[in-house]
């Protein structure tokens, strides 16, 4: 746990610390544990990657990533092709590797690592569009890269480029279809089936995510893409007991990273790394300074993105444990020189992660991309189902920059069937009146009947983003649906005297009447 705290404070992905622990335990280390089972490492690494992708997908906000999907798809397809070609050429002509080994290295290191990106970028206050592109890219590009590495590592001649393109397109399409289907079915079921204990919801969510990987792999699709998409759907489905589920997934993701990184550290033999140090630095320099920038600028040419964002994305292509795991594929396949490939990839990842990770916040500030962390104004809403009462209890946290600050309870204008029943402020709770003014830092308990739960959430998100006049200003709810624009005179009257307006319409007193 000390390693977790150190990595969080330093800006380094935990990769470096846990790899170091594994190397200290392994050969040439303090305990001299001899471990050379590349096949077992690959299996465990794949399992850990499934968990890491699931955790990343669960934490991805659809409204942030949706505008970034086309750019992320181009980076994951056309961008990977550019990166593989340039890096392979550098490995062949500058380091002297044969073309098969060069292509394998080029493919292996072209995958940005989900664990590294999720752990570092979410600590850097960047524009939502930029973060969305980088996170989606790290979730998407594992699939085509795995296909390329397996193809280049297979015995016999490598398939033609158009055969590889067709295979990648087919596997991605199948994986995407399976991920979307499993995610939608899982979310539909969890929202309508009451589990006997709240602790079962996190387990069920992770089980559905793993099932998406299995379903995709069984039908010869991309299991990695399937698990990421299924998890993203589950993460945006407003499932019951969501904060507990998110915390469980986060802890499981950390456990997967720790186990995977320590195992990779055990697999490497430190005294074999010296001979491949400078070749790794040269290949990494070609990748970081030439291949990655060209990948970004070429693949994103059709998109109108500021040059500052493209420069940042060129530097933020973080490599982590995924390339090291993929480097075990040629070892298991018996490719000539596979041990050297593994050593070069290992050194490259460690050196350039050490350089890139801590410098990302500085680069964001230098390019004037860093945002004020307090600017996030979205509400945190937790939902707990009240099955026997056919209702829901919503816990709403009002962040510092939310425009719900200064709004009266009656001015929320929640739909009939929803009511603010309790406010917690400065550690004290009280039952609010319609004229109670909400403040930043407040926590609200909102009771809703089952039919109006989604409408109540949309209204709360809309007021949080647009203030008391969110409806007629055209602010949309979290579901992306535009709220109806009420008559201006009606709004002004309700804002000034919400409880009087409710009585005039024949409704009862209390927050339930004000909508």
């Amino acid at each position: 746990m000390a390693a977790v705290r150190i990595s969080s404070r330093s800006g380094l992905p935990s990769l470096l610390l846990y790899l170091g622990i594994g190397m200290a335990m392994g050969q040439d280390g303090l305990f001299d544990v001899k471990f050379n089972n590349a096949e077992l490492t690959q299996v465990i690494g794949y399992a850990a990657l499934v968990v890491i992708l699931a955790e990343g997908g669960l934490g991805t906000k659809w409204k942030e990533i949706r505008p970034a999907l086309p750019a992320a798809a181009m980076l994951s397809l056309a961008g990977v092709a550019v990166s593989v070609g340039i890096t392979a050429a550098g490995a062949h002509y500058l380091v002297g590797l044969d073309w098969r080994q060069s292509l394998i290295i080029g493919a292996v290191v072209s995958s940005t690592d989900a664990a590294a990106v999720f752990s570092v970028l979410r600590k850097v206050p960047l524009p939502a569009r930029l973060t969305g592109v980088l996170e989606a890219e790290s979730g998407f590009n594992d699939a085509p890269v795995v296909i390329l590495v397996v193809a280049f590592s297979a015995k016999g001649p490598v398939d033609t480029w158009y055969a590889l393109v067709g295979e990648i397109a087919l596997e991605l399409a199948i994986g995407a279809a399976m991920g979307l289907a499993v995610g939608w079915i899982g979310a539909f079921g969890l929202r309508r089936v009451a589990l006997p204990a709240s602790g079962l919801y996190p387990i069920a969510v992770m089980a559905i995510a793993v099932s998406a990987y299995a379903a995709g792999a069984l039908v010869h699709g991309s299991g990695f893409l399937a698990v990421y998409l299924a998890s993203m759907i589950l993460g945006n489905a407003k499932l019951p007991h969501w904060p507990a589920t998110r915390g469980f997934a986060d802890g499981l993701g950390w456990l997967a990273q720790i186990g995977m990184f320590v195992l990779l550290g055990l697999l490497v033999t430190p005294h074999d790394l010296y001979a491949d140090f400078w070749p790794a630095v040269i290949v990494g320099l070609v990748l970081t300074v030439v291949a990655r920038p060209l990948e970004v600028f070429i693949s994103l040419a059709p998109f109108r993105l500021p040059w500052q964002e493209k420069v940042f994305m060129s530097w933020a292509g973080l490599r982590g444990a995924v390339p090291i795991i993929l480097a075990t594929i040629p070892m298991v396949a018996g490719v000539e020189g596979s041990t050297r490939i593994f050593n070069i990839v290992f050194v490259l990842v460690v050196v350039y992660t050490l350089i890139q990770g801590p410098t990302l916040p500085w680069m964001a500030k230098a390019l004037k991309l860093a945002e004020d962390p307090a600017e996030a104004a979205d509400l945190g809403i937790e939902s707990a189902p009240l099955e026997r009462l056919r209702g829901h209890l919503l816990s709403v946290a009002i962040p510092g920059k939310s425009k719900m600050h200064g709004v009266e309870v009656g001015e929320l204008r929640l739909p009939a069937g929803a009511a603010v029943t309790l406010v917690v402020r400065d550690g004290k709770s009280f039952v609010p009146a319609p004229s109670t003014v909400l403040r930043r830092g407040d926590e609200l308990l909102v009771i809703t009947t089952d039919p109006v739960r989604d409408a109540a959430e949309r209204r709360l998100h809309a007021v949080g983003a647009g203030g008391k006049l969110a409806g007629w200003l055209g602010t949309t709810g979290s579901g992306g649906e535009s709220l109806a624009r009420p008559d201006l005179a009606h709004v002004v009257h309700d804002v000034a005297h919400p409880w009087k307006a409710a009585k005039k319409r024949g409704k009862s007193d209390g927050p339930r009447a004000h909508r």
Side-chain angles (χ1 to χ4, degrees):
M1 291 304 102
V4 174
R5 290 194 295 270
I6 293 172
S7 64
S8 298
R9 292 173 182 174
S10 65
L12 288 171
S14 55
L15 159 75
L16 300 179
L17 296 167
Y18 295 123
L19 280 178
I21 292 173
M23 293 174 68
M25 294 171 57
Q27 193 171 350
D28 295 346
L30 299 176
F31 300 97
D32 199 27
V33 176
K34 292 179 173 58
F35 177 81
N36 57 3
N37 193 331
E39 188 172 0
L40 176 61
T41 303
Q42 180 182 323
V43 171
I44 295 177
Y46 273 27
L49 183 56
V50 169
V51 174
I52 292 168
L53 285 172
E55 189 273 329
L58 292 173
T60 300
K61 295 182 179 179
W62 172 244
K63 65 180 180 181
E64 293 181 0
I65 203 174
R66 179 173 54 187
L69 287 179
M74 285 296 292
L75 277 175
S76 303
L77 296 174
V80 163
V82 171
S83 179
V84 171
I86 295 175
T87 307
H92 178 71
Y93 291 111
L94 298 179
V95 178
L97 299 177
D98 64 41
W99 274 113
R100 180 182 290 270
Q101 295 172 347
S102 300
L103 286 171
I104 291 174
I105 287 181
V108 164
V109 299
S110 293
S111 174
T112 55
D113 182 68
V117 170
F118 294 149
S119 64
V120 173
L121 289 185
R122 289 180 181 175
K123 298 180 179 67
V124 182
L126 297 171
R129 176 181 60 185
L130 182 56
T131 302
V133 171
L134 291 170
E135 289 192 2
E137 179 201 9
S138 68
F140 292 165
N141 63 12
D142 291 336
V145 165
V146 169
I147 296 170
L148 288 176
V149 175
V150 171
F152 295 151
S153 301
K155 295 180 179 179
V158 178
D159 291 339
T160 56
W161 68 267
Y162 51 84
L164 284 176
V165 170
E167 183 180 355
I168 290 173
L170 180 61
E171 290 199 20
L172 291 179
I174 295 173
M178 293 304 299
L180 294 173
V182 172
W184 186 87
I185 293 172
F188 181 85
L190 286 177
R191 284 173 63 92
R192 287 161 177 80
V193 176
L195 298 180
S198 60
L200 293 177
Y201 282 91
I203 298 174
V205 168
M206 293 304 297
I208 292 170
V210 174
S211 298
Y213 174 84
L218 281 174
V219 293
H220 302 288
S222 171
F224 293 125
L225 182 59
V227 68
Y228 183 73
L229 290 178
S231 302
M232 190 165 58
I233 290 176
L234 292 168
N236 290 272
K238 302 176 186 175
L239 299 178
H241 306 289
W242 180 244
T245 301
R246 189 72 188 90
F248 177 81
D250 189 51
L252 206 59
W254 272 107
L255 185 62
Q257 290 184 55
I258 292 170
M260 178 175 61
F261 296 158
V262 171
L263 195 62
L264 290 172
L266 281 172
L267 184 63
V268 73
T269 304
H271 69 258
D272 289 341
L273 299 178
Y274 300 124
D276 296 314
F277 179 83
W278 288 112
V281 171
I282 293 172
V283 173
L285 196 62
V286 172
L287 171 67
T288 306
V289 178
V290 182
R292 176 65 180 181
L294 286 177
E295 168 191 356
V296 170
F297 278 85
I298 291 175
S299 60
L300 297 183
F303 304 93
R304 296 180 179 178
L305 296 177
W307 68 268
Q308 294 94 334
E309 293 188 8
K310 292 181 180 179
V311 170
F312 184 85
M313 282 189 275
S314 299
W315 187 248
L318 298 178
R319 272 72 191 177
V322 172
I324 302 176
I325 292 171
L326 297 181
T328 63
I329 294 177
M331 296 177 72
V332 174
V335 174
E336 183 181 355
S338 58
T339 300
R340 190 183 185 197
I341 292 174
F342 181 86
N343 290 340
I344 289 175
V345 171
F346 189 95
V347 174
L348 184 156
V349 168
V350 171
V351 170
Y352 286 92
T353 301
L354 183 62
I355 295 172
Q356 290 175 277
T359 57
L360 283 177
W362 172 84
M363 177 160 284
K365 292 181 180 179
L367 295 172
K368 298 182 180 179
L369 294 173
E371 293 184 341
D372 183 359
E375 287 296 324
D378 196 16
L379 298 176
I381 300 180
E382 175 183 356
S383 174
L386 306 173
E387 299 295 342
R388 295 183 181 180
L389 301 178
R390 296 184 180 180
H392 293 267
L393 176 63
L394 305 182
S395 175
V396 183
I398 303 178
K401 292 292 184 178
S402 173
K403 291 188 179 180
M404 193 177 285
H405 174 77
V407 175
E408 295 181 5
V409 169
E411 293 170 342
L412 292 175
R413 301 197 306 282
L414 296 175
V420 180
T421 59
L422 197 70
V423 175
V424 180
R425 179 178 297 166
D426 298 329
K428 298 179 180 179
S429 58
F430 59 92
V431 177
S435 58
T436 298
V437 179
L438 301 176
R439 302 296 182 193
R440 52 180 65 98
D442 284 355
E443 293 186 26
L444 318 180
L445 290 183
V446 181
I447 296 288
T448 77
T449 57
D450 192 61
V452 303
R453 178 229 182 179
D454 290 341
E457 282 204 35
R458 286 196 298 270
R459 180 59 194 167
L460 289 167
H461 279 289
V463 177
K468 62 181 69 175
L469 301 182
W472 74 272
L473 287 174
T475 305
T476 58
S478 62
E481 302 177 14
S482 180
L483 297 172
R485 175 174 175 170
D487 181 75
L488 180 60
H490 172 74
V491 171
V492 173
H493 186 74
D494 271 6
V495 169
H497 305 287
W499 54 93
K500 293 182 181 179
K503 287 182 179 180
K504 192 173 182 179
R505 292 192 298 268
K507 304 294 181 180
S508 60
D509 288 340
R512 184 185 300 272
H514 312 313
R515 59 190 188 277

